[in-house]
Amino acid sequence: MKTDDLLVRAVTFEDCHQLSGLMKEEVESAQRLARYYIVPEKFDWQGYTQDRLKDRTRKFFVAQSRGNLVGFIELHTRKYPPPVIQPSLLCRFKKRNNRALSMPIDPLKWAVIEACFVSPQCRNKGVGSALVAAGLNWVKQAGVHRVELGVLSANSAVAFWEKLGFDDWRIQMSKELGSL
């Protein structure tokens, strides 16, 4: 694959069939790294993909080469704190007429890269970097100033994310409990 054959663009519903195949491939890749990724044998990948594409908080970009999808990135935006009035360090309360009035600080808006996958035969050719660049451009335009992602520690993509300037700030751990 030559880089001049590569087109990175926003996904369309016409991409659903090919995208669902890539999403399945991405999960199967994760299953090889971590046993806890369990998907039912007759899982509806097409329906799952369609549901995610309909979610307005999510944005997908795909990489296309010679008419075939060879990668994708899925992002979504979040706000913190959630739009609820609750006593916390993030809200100051003022008593007036025996009622608590909320004066929240500006909500922090950030994005999460839910998934980023490139077909094995297209890796190390700039496809992942192009997908991430498109995704980061979208979140910047949405007014987001922080992007987070999760990656399995055994995944060789850790070096890819570090090369793009991401660093680890939290470690999430798990323990298999076995049958009860």
Side-chain angles (χ1 to χ4, degrees):
M1 183 192 93
K2 291 187 266 178
T3 54
D4 55 340
D5 293 334
L6 184 68
L7 170 67
V8 174
R9 60 177 174 76
V11 74
T12 66
F13 275 102
E14 288 77 33
D15 297 319
C16 192
H17 180 71
Q18 282 191 60
L19 179 59
S20 65
L22 284 174
M23 292 178 88
K24 179 180 184 217
E25 196 175 342
E26 186 255 340
V27 169
E28 288 170 346
S29 172
Q31 283 178 314
R32 289 188 288 278
L33 296 172
R35 294 184 311 251
Y36 57 85
Y37 281 91
I38 300 170
V39 179
E41 194 174 312
K42 298 203 182 239
F43 188 74
D44 179 13
W45 286 102
Q46 187 90 10
Y48 172 77
T49 304
Q50 287 174 351
D51 288 346
R52 291 180 87 80
L53 290 177
K54 290 176 189 172
D55 182 344
R56 297 267 184 228
T57 66
R58 295 183 185 279
K59 183 72 173 182
F60 283 84
F61 291 92
V62 292
Q64 183 177 3
S65 177
R66 298 183 184 158
N68 295 312
L69 298 187
V70 296
F72 74 94
I73 188 168
E74 174 187 4
L75 309 102
H76 72 92
T77 57
R78 293 183 177 173
K79 282 187 180 182
Y80 187 84
V84 232
I85 298 174
Q86 55 182 319
S88 72
L89 293 174
L90 297 172
C91 297
R92 287 180 255 135
F93 287 85
K94 194 175 182 182
K95 288 280 193 182
R96 184 187 295 170
N97 301 330
N98 292 327
R99 291 186 326 180
L101 300 176
S102 172
M103 297 181 349
I105 63 171
D106 265 352
L108 172 67
K109 189 174 180 184
W110 81 93
V112 176
I113 297 175
E114 285 290 328
C116 184
F117 179 77
V118 175
S119 296
Q121 68 272 18
C122 297
R123 292 182 184 161
N124 299 311
K125 297 178 180 172
V127 177
S129 296
L131 286 165
V132 172
L136 295 181
N137 186 47
W138 175 74
V139 297
K140 282 180 191 173
Q141 290 178 0
V144 171
H145 301 285
R146 179 181 182 84
V147 179
E148 297 178 357
L149 62 91
V151 62
L152 295 170
S153 58
N155 192 329
S156 61
V158 171
F160 167 78
W161 293 110
E162 289 173 340
K163 183 179 87 175
L164 293 177
F166 288 81
D167 62 0
D168 57 339
W169 64 276
R170 176 180 66 178
I171 296 174
Q172 185 171 342
M173 302 173 88
S174 66
K175 178 181 178 177
E176 292 290 328
L177 298 177
S179 331
L180 297 178

